[in-house]
Amino acid sequence: MTSEKRRLPVLQSHGEDEGEERPPWHWIALGTVAVFLVWLPLAGLVNTLLRRMLERTDDAGAPPSVRLAMVGLNVVAFALAGAAGGYLVGRFGGRAGRREAAASGAVVAAIAWAIALAEGAPAGALGWALLLVVMVSIGGAASYAGGAAGLRGRPGGAPPPRR
């Protein structure tokens, strides 16, 4: 009988065989999920605070300052979530980079726009088209910036390999 201990190969793995790297388009989907996971709690917090602000007003309609706060705080929450999702794509995305990060933010904006459109709020065709352009611009830009920050945060600051 030998006194030598057997070790499991899985536990001895040093990361040499990590499997295949995900293609860059997979990171668009992962970034989209990440943006939603950050945005939903932030939007809930922002809208809870805004609801409290509205309860303090005695007017039937919200004053312009509260309306501006409603839009502004929701934009900030969306931009922060986009930056966080973009950072994830940039930092851990393998061959994915700023482009895939920006695409994930744009996809989230388009999905959110479609949900708002389905809710049926009156805005007219021009209003809805303008809202789509603004949301995609904010989501794409914030996620692009997050992706750029994520690339700088990679070990050794290594950019993704060129395709």
Side-chain angles (χ1 to χ4, degrees):
M1 189 180 246
T2 63
S3 64
E4 187 178 319
K5 290 185 179 179
R6 272 187 60 189
R7 303 214 186 262
L8 295 174
V10 174
L11 297 177
Q12 289 181 344
S13 175
H14 298 308
E16 297 160 357
D17 184 25
E18 301 259 335
E20 286 186 39
E21 186 175 313
R22 293 186 187 280
W25 68 269
H26 282 194
W27 286 96
I28 295 172
L30 292 170
T32 299
V33 170
V35 172
F36 270 118
L37 287 175
V38 174
W39 185 28
L40 292 177
L42 281 177
L45 176 66
V46 162
N47 288 306
T48 299
L49 294 173
L50 291 171
R51 188 177 323 113
R52 288 187 181 158
M53 286 175 64
L54 285 173
E55 288 172 355
R56 291 182 183 163
T57 62
D58 294 331
D59 301 341
S65 61
V66 174
R67 289 182 186 179
L68 182 62
M70 291 170 73
V71 172
L73 290 175
N74 277 296
V75 166
V76 169
F78 180 55
L80 286 174
Y87 183 85
L88 174 86
V89 172
R91 175 74 169 85
F92 301 106
R95 293 181 305 172
R98 292 177 292 270
R99 179 176 44 194
E100 289 79 13
S104 67
V107 167
V108 170
I111 291 170
W113 175 84
I115 291 170
L117 182 64
E119 292 287 320
L126 183 60
W128 282 109
L130 181 61
L131 181 62
L132 177 62
V133 168
V134 169
M135 287 181 69
V136 167
S137 298
I138 292 169
S143 295
Y144 184 91
L151 285 173
R152 287 190 302 271
R154 285 188 179 184
R162 293 285 176 203
R163 299 188 262 282

